[in-house]
Amino acid sequence: MSWETVIGLEVHVQLSTKTKLFSGASTGFGAEPNTQVDLVDLGLPGALPVVNKEAFYKAIRFGLATKAEINQVSMFDRKNYFYPDLPKGYQITQMEKPIVGMGSITIDVDGKEKLINITRAHLEEDAGKSIHDLFDGETGVDLNRAGTPLLEIVSEPEISNAKEAVAYFKAIHQLVTFLDICDGNMAQGSMRCDVNVSIKKAEDKELGTRAEIKNINSFKFIEKAINFEIARQIKLLEKGESVVQETRLYDSIKNETRSMRSKEAANDYRYFPEPDLLPVVILDKELEEIIEGLPELPKEKEKRFIDEHNLEVSEARILSSSKAMAELFEKASEKTKDSNLVAKWLVGDISALLNKDNISIEESKLSLENFVKLIERITDNTISGKIAKSLLEDVWETGNDVDNLIQEKGLVQIQDESVLEEIATKVIQSNEDQVAAYKSGKDRIFGFFVGQVMKETQGKANPKSVNDILKKLLG
Ligand code: ADP
Ligand code: MG
């Protein structure tokens, strides 16, 4: 029997506005509990919400970038439920008429592109936080987050496996940070997602019953939670049992999903139009201004990098993978006037270090100034490429100044040809067998001599000079 997986994602993106969606309170992260709340966020009777225009403009930027329909008249609805961190007893969201309608985004999995349709993207307010581990036997409520603007982006059920789901989430992350509508900080919860997973027989037209895994905020956990869930559902189906429609929770320590509650239907929430807010109308003029202000998007950047710097597609893709990476590439290229060398280091050694540490370039200790110095010391022949590699690792760990490190560690390349010639002569004299072999026609042995000289100089020789000198000496 062959099973097919169907996945749909609901991604919550925290919009980077200064103030909340319906109040003037700050959205800043990490303040003392309950210091960033006003009457609206507390849900005090009579306090009326006022719409934050900036949140709409940011949502529209997302819509435009995903070629979506923009609803110039959109509306808010009340979603009613009872929870301690929701003082009003309802969440204001957009149900009937969201600001952003059907759009799409292209994902890239193992070099293959796939288009994923996005059903809608709507604005809603976040809830507060319940804190269970601070007071013994009691729960604390922090309302600083209550009312923070979220854009909920709902995909069609068109994602076929965990890898595609991660690629989709990454594509959204890349887009919202390029658009400057979200800071993309996953650890602070600026982006999180609910994952809907179901299984069906390959030949079935209808979708299977789904389970929804709530609130995952890391690329790694999305992949693990989905793979666990796929295995769990297939096992049930193969036993002849059925999947229950429910909300589940992912436990990253045990690497399993657990049932949280049975899935509520839309009518459990008693949705109705929000009576405290008028429909929001976006004028043509406003829409035009937002279109004018759209920045260059990842795909456009990728294409420009290929055209302007003569790069391979794979290189341009890495260099335009995040806003910070693209900026580092462009600024360092401008300063060093050597975009090829800059690209080579970013795509090669630096990407490898990023992968190893599993961090993004803005989280690393490598500054633009220090990176530029590293490139310049290579091009002005102060250090060899080989030394530059180990120097980069040092800079990566410590963030120390490149020039200071070169001085401190005595890494300056040996420029004096007579010194190199002396070392090369010694190497030749102490390896008679190899010399004989080389002279009898084993050309490949030449590399051995280069290696020996590099070793003697602890990598500080210029490989080209070493090559020239050895050729001359070996005849
Ligand atoms: P809600 O979860 O709020 O009830 P929806 O019914 O709109 O909202 O569905 C939310 C998400 O679930 C969407 O991303 C959709 O693609 C996905 N989804 C719906 N049905 C299935 C299914 N059978 N299998 C997998 N994903 C599904
Ligand atoms: Mg849902």
Side-chain angles (χ1 to χ4, degrees):
M1 172 87 59
S2 93
W3 299 105
E4 240 175 50
T5 303
V6 175
I7 300 167
L9 255 55
E10 294 159 273
V11 179
H12 287 92
V13 168
Q14 186 178 317
L15 298 175
S16 51
T17 55
K18 285 204 181 63
T19 56
K20 294 187 177 174
L21 186 51
F22 302 116
S23 89
S26 164
T27 54
F29 181 84
E32 282 291 300
N34 299 309
T35 55
Q36 294 177 169
V37 282
D38 84 350
L39 307 180
V40 172
D41 310 313
L42 286 169
L44 293 190
L48 289 173
V50 178
V51 166
N52 182 341
K53 260 195 181 179
E54 201 46 42
F56 271 85
Y57 292 171
K58 292 197 146 103
I60 292 170
R61 280 159 84 86
F62 177 81
L64 293 169
T66 48
K67 300 183 187 67
E69 238 174 284
I70 306 294
N71 292 318
Q72 284 180 253
V73 179
S74 71
M75 280 167 57
F76 284 106
D77 300 276
R78 277 190 191 181
K79 179 179 181 180
N80 299 278
Y81 64 93
F82 181 77
Y83 211 72
D85 57 26
L86 187 76
K88 296 198 297 293
Y90 57 84
Q91 177 195 31
I92 305 180
T93 179
Q94 296 190 303
M95 170 76 163
E96 288 297 325
K97 227 163 190 317
I99 175 70
V100 178
M102 184 68 97
S104 66
I105 195 165
T106 304
I107 62 168
D108 194 307
V109 180
D110 299 332
K112 262 174 88 187
E113 293 197 332
K114 176 172 172 180
L115 188 94
I116 306 289
N117 287 297
I118 298 174
T119 320
R120 56 190 276 145
H122 60 260
L123 280 164
E124 63 184 29
E125 55 177 342
D126 207 347
K129 265 187 197 152
S130 294
I131 298 162
H132 303 290
D133 54 2
L134 203 56
F135 310 103
D136 196 19
E138 289 174 293
T139 292
V141 173
D142 176 7
L143 293 176
N144 282 352
R145 205 179 64 185
T148 297
L150 298 177
L151 185 66
E152 177 171 340
I153 302 161
V154 183
S155 85
E156 286 289 293
E158 295 176 346
I159 297 165
S160 310
N161 54 51
K163 256 190 168 176
E164 282 185 19
V166 173
Y168 173 82
F169 195 69
K170 281 190 173 163
I172 300 270
H173 183 269
Q174 183 193 36
L175 192 59
V176 297
T177 47
F178 265 84
L179 289 168
D180 228 350
I181 64 174
C182 170
D183 65 19
N185 189 326
M186 313 259 293
Q188 290 180 3
S190 299
M191 258 185 86
R192 33 195 211 265
C193 84
D194 302 341
V195 180
N196 296 269
V197 181
S198 68
I199 300 290
K200 68 179 188 65
K201 286 182 203 154
E203 65 271 20
D204 279 355
K205 289 244 153 26
E206 290 207 359
L207 299 186
T209 306
R210 74 183 142 129
E212 176 173 3
I213 314 158
K214 280 279 182 197
N215 246 329
I216 313 181
N217 73 339
S218 98
F219 299 132
K220 196 171 78 197
F221 294 160
I222 290 177
E223 181 161 358
K224 289 190 156 184
I226 290 176
N227 283 331
F228 176 89
E229 193 55 28
I230 293 172
R232 183 187 75 88
Q233 292 188 15
I234 290 181
K235 210 163 138 198
L236 279 176
L237 296 173
E238 293 200 329
K239 278 194 289 187
E241 295 174 24
S242 49
V243 174
V244 183
Q245 177 153 351
E246 62 183 355
T247 303
R248 298 179 72 87
L249 188 112
Y250 176 65
D251 179 337
S252 61
I253 294 163
K254 293 192 176 152
N255 186 33
E256 63 177 27
T257 66
R258 279 198 303 274
S259 180
M260 234 164 92
R261 55 173 189 257
S262 67
K263 172 83 189 164
E264 45 295 278
N267 58 10
D268 291 332
Y269 288 120
R270 294 178 293 119
Y271 280 99
F272 61 83
E274 168 58 58
D276 287 343
L277 289 164
L278 290 167
V280 176
V281 179
I282 303 293
L283 304 173
D284 290 345
K285 192 172 112 273
E286 285 175 290
L287 193 56
E288 279 157 26
E289 270 170 29
I290 301 169
I291 294 172
E292 298 245 310
L294 274 184
E296 187 178 43
L297 297 176
K299 285 274 170 234
E300 295 159 8
K301 241 191 216 332
E302 184 183 309
K303 195 174 170 308
R304 182 167 60 78
F305 284 175
I306 294 170
D307 296 345
E308 283 180 5
H309 302 287
N310 212 1
L311 297 171
E312 299 285 329
V313 178
S314 58
E315 293 173 323
R317 192 157 292 169
I318 293 173
L319 296 172
S320 60
S321 61
S322 77
K323 216 172 136 179
M325 180 63 106
E327 250 172 47
L328 186 59
F329 170 61
E330 295 209 271
K331 288 195 174 145
S333 297
E334 198 190 308
K335 284 193 194 273
T336 60
K337 310 266 178 282
D338 193 340
S339 61
N340 278 326
L341 194 60
V342 168
K344 180 178 151 251
W345 280 85
L346 286 175
V347 170
D349 290 69
I350 290 171
S351 289
L353 288 166
L354 288 173
N355 284 337
K356 178 172 80 65
D357 293 351
N358 200 11
I359 55 170
S360 58
I361 193 77
E362 61 268 47
E363 292 167 302
S364 83
K365 294 198 178 117
L366 184 70
S367 65
L368 169 68
E369 290 71 32
N370 235 357
F371 178 48
V372 166
K373 274 187 193 171
L374 183 79
I375 298 294
E376 285 176 346
R377 293 301 88 84
I378 300 169
T379 44
D380 68 13
N381 278 323
T382 305
I383 55 172
S384 65
K386 193 157 175 222
I387 290 288
K389 261 181 198 284
S390 64
L391 186 60
L392 172 67
E393 278 167 28
D394 215 328
V395 172
W396 195 258
E397 291 301 325
T398 62
N400 286 348
D401 180 79
V402 161
D403 285 335
N404 285 347
L405 281 171
I406 292 175
Q407 289 309 323
E408 249 170 52
K409 306 206 159 189
L411 300 177
V412 176
Q413 182 157 266
I414 302 168
Q415 300 281 14
D416 190 337
E417 302 253 322
S418 66
V419 174
L420 289 181
E421 206 164 311
E422 205 175 296
I423 295 169
T425 310
K426 238 197 278 165
V427 165
I428 290 171
Q429 279 165 1
S430 47
N431 290 289
E432 284 171 9
D433 292 351
Q434 281 83 352
V435 174
Y438 178 71
K439 294 213 161 144
S440 72
K442 284 205 175 139
D443 288 347
R444 289 226 313 266
I445 275 189
F446 189 75
F448 164 81
F449 295 108
V450 176
Q452 289 298 307
V453 175
M454 292 310 277
K455 203 166 130 199
E456 286 293 315
T457 59
Q458 286 152 332
K460 286 185 282 184
N462 178 328
K464 175 149 189 329
S465 310
V466 174
N467 265 288
D468 294 347
I469 290 169
L470 280 169
K471 284 234 168 77
K472 191 180 81 186
L473 292 177
L474 288 166

